[in-house]
């Protein structure tokens, strides 16, 4: 066979191999099953009459009903119109039971907080009695009251707001069933696919057939995915392409030198 034809063939194959990291990565992603979430979830039944269960529920899901006061600090200040004045009013109310508010922006913030949350959580040691406070905003935001409460009313509020299993779609129910079914036995936890129904709502609380379940993150998995695996294989193919190009160049040069 003509050495120059061999060199041309090797060069063509080598050039096709060079972009292999890209197209093998794309092919692996296109042909692989749907990716899984990086989180492993666990569904645990909750007994609201059990002190440790209540604490576990509130620790995992209090954000549904309680505003932590750190959300009014500089890092989160853009969420509200007057975070400093609003925080001062809440701290005063938590410390003294009530506070009057003159700042119109702070009054608007308090009305918004009152619509969204039933409680405020003291997180920055701003009061002598840390914990949860039932929030009441009156007189169009010019008066705010805060009553220190136990975990029980907070847990009850979380349970009251929990979605009902019967109201979910069939696909969402299947996801919840898999979570519950895989939360017992030796191999705890369930790692759903990213496209499973209701995954975007996790972690969450759910009421199913009279039982309250707390679904929380049980573990994490570092997974680079099939696309990364295809990319790594592609690097090897690209290296082979470089070898073929060098071989083609060598054959072509040798043939030129002989002739």
């Amino acid at each position: 066979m003509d050495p120059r034809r061999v060199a041309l063939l090797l060069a063509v194959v080598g050039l096709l191999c060079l972009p292999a990291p890209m197209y093998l990565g794309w092919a692996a992603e296109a042909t692989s099953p749907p990716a899984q979430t990086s989180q492993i979830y666990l569904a645990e039944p909750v007994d609201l009459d059990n002190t440790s269960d209540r604490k576990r529920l509130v620790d995992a899901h209090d954000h549904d009903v309680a505003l932590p006061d750190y959300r009014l600090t500089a890092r989160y200040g853009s969420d509200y119109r007057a975070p400093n004045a609003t925080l001062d009013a809440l701290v005063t109310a938590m410390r003294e039971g009530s506070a009057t508010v003159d700042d119109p922006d702070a009054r608007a913030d308090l009305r918004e907080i009152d619509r969204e949350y039933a409680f405020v959580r003291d997180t920055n040691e701003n009061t002598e009695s840390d914990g949860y406070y039932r929030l009441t905003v009156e007189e169009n935001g010019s008066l705010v009251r805060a009553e220190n409460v136990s975990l029980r009313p907070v847990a009850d509020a979380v349970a009251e707001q929990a979605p009902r299993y019967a109201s979910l779609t069939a696909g969402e129910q299947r996801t919840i069933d898999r979570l519950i079914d895989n939360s017992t036995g030796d191999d705890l936890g369930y790692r759903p696919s990213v496209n499973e129904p209701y995954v975007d709502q996790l972690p969450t609380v759910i009421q199913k057939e009279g039982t309250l379940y707390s679904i929380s993150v049980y573990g994490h998995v570092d997974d680079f995915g099939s696309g990364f695996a295809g990319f790594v294989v592609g690097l090897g193919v690209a290296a082979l392409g470089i070898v073929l190009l060098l071989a083609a160049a060598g054959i072509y040069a040798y043939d030129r030198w002989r002739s």
Side-chain angles (χ1 to χ4, degrees):
M1 181 180 290
D2 185 350
R4 296 195 181 189
R5 289 182 178 274
V6 173
L8 178 60
L9 177 61
L10 293 177
V12 170
V13 175
L15 288 173
L16 291 175
C17 290
L18 289 181
M22 289 188 296
Y23 62 71
L24 287 182
W26 293 337
E29 287 187 356
T31 58
S32 64
Q36 291 178 290
T37 63
S38 60
Q39 292 82 25
I40 300 172
Y41 294 98
L42 186 69
E44 300 175 281
V46 174
D47 179 2
L48 291 176
D49 292 326
N50 181 285
T51 301
S52 61
D53 278 12
R54 286 199 303 269
K55 186 176 187 309
R56 177 162 48 85
L57 177 70
V58 170
D59 287 346
H61 304 286
D62 67 343
H63 55 272
D64 291 335
V65 298
L67 172 72
D69 58 10
Y70 69 75
R71 291 291 303 271
L72 291 161
T73 55
R75 179 180 176 186
Y76 299 92
S78 60
D79 292 344
Y80 296 97
R81 302 181 189 184
N84 292 332
T86 304
L87 178 60
D88 289 343
L90 290 175
V91 168
T92 300
M94 288 188 288
R95 185 175 57 244
E96 301 178 6
S98 65
T100 57
V101 184
D102 296 325
D103 188 319
D105 288 337
R107 292 200 298 266
D109 287 344
L110 289 168
R111 293 195 300 270
E112 179 181 343
I113 292 170
D114 187 44
R115 285 192 296 269
E116 188 170 356
Y117 300 100
F119 305 93
V120 176
R121 177 162 60 95
D122 176 25
T123 63
N124 294 322
E125 300 181 353
N126 289 317
T127 66
E128 293 182 1
S129 179
D130 300 342
Y132 293 87
Y133 294 78
R134 190 185 303 277
L135 179 69
T136 305
V137 176
E138 302 173 352
E139 300 178 12
N140 200 33
S142 61
L143 176 64
V144 57
R145 302 183 189 276
E147 175 192 4
N148 190 221
V149 296
S150 67
L151 291 183
R152 182 59 192 252
V154 182
D156 287 343
V158 172
E160 180 64 28
Q161 290 194 10
R164 270 47 179 178
Y165 177 87
S167 67
L168 305 181
T169 67
E172 292 170 339
Q173 289 180 352
R174 283 193 296 271
T175 300
I176 296 299
D177 289 340
R178 293 186 187 115
L179 283 163
I180 295 173
D181 293 343
N182 286 276
S183 294
T184 56
D186 296 331
D187 191 15
L188 288 179
Y190 176 63
R191 187 184 176 199
S193 300
V194 295
N195 63 347
E196 283 191 48
Y198 214 64
V199 165
D200 58 343
Q201 302 297 317
L202 302 179
T204 188
V205 185
I206 197 78
Q207 288 266 15
K208 181 184 178 183
E209 298 173 354
T211 300
L212 181 69
Y213 291 92
S214 172
I215 301 174
S216 56
V217 176
Y218 179 68
H220 296 268
V221 176
D222 293 326
D223 186 356
F224 294 103
S226 56
F228 182 77
F231 175 81
V232 172
V233 173
L235 290 177
V237 177
L240 175 62
I242 294 173
V243 172
L244 292 177
L245 288 173
L246 292 175
I251 293 173
Y252 180 79
Y254 178 71
D255 185 67
R256 286 282 304 269
W257 176 76
R258 280 199 322 168
S259 60

